[in-house]
Amino acid sequence: MVVLENKQEIASDIIKKTGFKHAAIIMDGNRRWAKHKHLPSAIGHKEGVKALKKTIKAADDLGIKYLTVYAFSTENWHRSQEEVNFLMDLLASTLKNELDEMHENGVVINFIGDTNALNSNLKKVIDNAIKKTQNNTGVRLQIAFNYGARAELLHAFKSLANKIKQGELTSANLTEDDISNVLYTSGIPDPDLLIRTGGEMRVSNYLLWQIAYSEIYITEKFWPEFDKDALCDAIIEFGTRNRRWGG
């Protein structure tokens, strides 16, 4: 068995040799983890926050520059009002409680998704986190909140239609770069690796444009169980892949 120290060295070497920049994660399994332990779902979500802290630190240690995590989808509004309210409060309290530490560690915080649909107090907390960390130089953390890839693409296409209407672009000369530039992830390299915890075999309306050539890694671990060791396993598996980019 490879010990963690050796795993970290191997994973870091893979990141350097391959030019790996961006890991995207579907943080799945908080509720199932709690159910398996006969605990309330809220405990699962709180443990999920702890797993995210570990993963941000691990990404920094390994030399990963960009980390994008799926925290709340546009479909999650269909959950019970009690759980939705809890998740909103959990985001606000986490940002308030952890912001100083993340700032000290150089993390750059950003959000992708329709944050305009969130309540004014939560939007203020989000805006403060973005503003406070914007000049940092560490891991760039994108939190996908009220995010759905189809909604993102619809937003992008409306933006492009407006640019064409205003004469800034022509439909005949439209390029893939023009589309990428109006996505929520504009300026961020596409993910090298998409990680999904919890064992489910689907991408769940996440970064559909951006993951066109991402490698996909599924782990049976529920998100609260994810840590540096698990991230190293994912990177080491990535290192065995032959990325042909369709060629």
Side-chain angles (χ1 to χ4, degrees):
M1 182 180 293
V2 181
V3 298
L4 179 56
E5 289 78 7
N6 289 341
K7 280 187 179 182
Q8 180 173 332
E9 185 178 342
I10 294 167
S12 295
D13 191 51
I14 289 169
I15 288 167
K16 291 175 184 176
K17 287 183 177 179
T18 62
F20 185 108
K21 292 183 176 65
H22 187 179
I25 303 178
I26 299 175
M27 305 183 295
D28 193 18
N30 288 345
R31 295 189 298 176
R32 284 181 288 154
W33 177 88
K35 184 178 181 180
H36 280 209
K37 293 184 175 294
H38 306 288
L39 295 169
S41 296
I43 300 298
H45 292 309
K46 289 180 179 179
E47 289 299 313
V49 171
K50 295 179 183 179
L52 178 56
K53 285 186 64 179
K54 293 176 186 177
T55 303
I56 295 169
K57 178 65 166 58
D60 189 41
D61 290 343
L62 293 172
I64 297 172
K65 302 298 184 185
Y66 298 86
L67 180 66
T68 304
V69 296
Y70 207 3
F72 188 90
S73 76
T74 50
E75 290 74 32
N76 287 157
W77 293 105
H78 298 303
R79 295 185 179 182
S80 71
Q81 191 62 53
E82 180 183 9
E83 184 173 7
V84 169
N85 290 342
F86 175 81
L87 292 172
M88 298 295 160
D89 291 342
L90 182 62
L91 174 62
S93 63
T94 298
L95 286 176
K96 289 176 182 177
N97 295 334
E98 306 294 340
L99 182 58
D100 287 344
E101 182 178 345
M102 287 195 286
H103 180 48
E104 289 172 5
N105 291 333
V107 178
V108 181
I109 299 173
N110 204 354
F111 279 75
I112 60 173
D114 182 13
T115 56
N116 289 324
L118 306 178
N119 69 61
S120 59
N121 289 334
L122 181 53
K123 285 170 62 178
K124 287 178 183 177
V125 173
I126 288 172
D127 290 343
N128 178 60
I130 293 171
K131 184 176 181 180
K132 184 167 184 174
T133 64
Q134 63 185 348
N135 295 320
N136 289 343
T137 58
V139 175
R140 294 179 61 91
L141 173 67
Q142 287 72 234
I143 300 173
F145 204 87
N146 195 25
Y147 173 88
R150 288 184 173 183
E152 177 185 29
L153 289 169
L154 180 59
H155 176 271
F157 297 155
K158 286 180 178 179
S159 178
L160 290 171
N162 186 59
K163 288 177 180 290
I164 291 171
K165 182 178 180 180
Q166 298 298 324
E168 298 175 35
L169 291 172
T170 63
S171 57
N173 295 324
L174 195 64
T175 67
E176 290 186 6
D177 284 343
D178 290 324
I179 297 173
S180 293
N181 289 338
V182 292
L183 295 175
Y184 296 138
T185 54
S186 176
I188 298 170
D190 290 341
D192 299 284
L193 179 64
L194 172 66
I195 299 169
R196 179 164 192 151
T197 60
E200 300 290 357
M201 299 289 185
R202 55 180 177 269
V203 296
S204 296
N205 195 23
Y206 186 46
L207 302 174
L208 296 180
W209 177 273
Q210 297 90 334
I211 63 170
Y213 285 103
S214 302
E215 295 297 316
I216 299 176
Y217 176 85
I218 309 294
T219 174
E220 295 292 329
K221 288 180 181 289
F222 295 129
W223 177 245
E225 301 168 326
F226 201 82
D227 54 15
K228 178 184 280 188
D229 186 62
L231 182 59
C232 287
D233 285 340
I235 299 299
I236 291 169
E237 169 64 23
F238 172 86
T240 69
R241 306 285 180 86
N242 179 16
R243 304 186 77 189
R244 295 184 294 274
W245 306 99

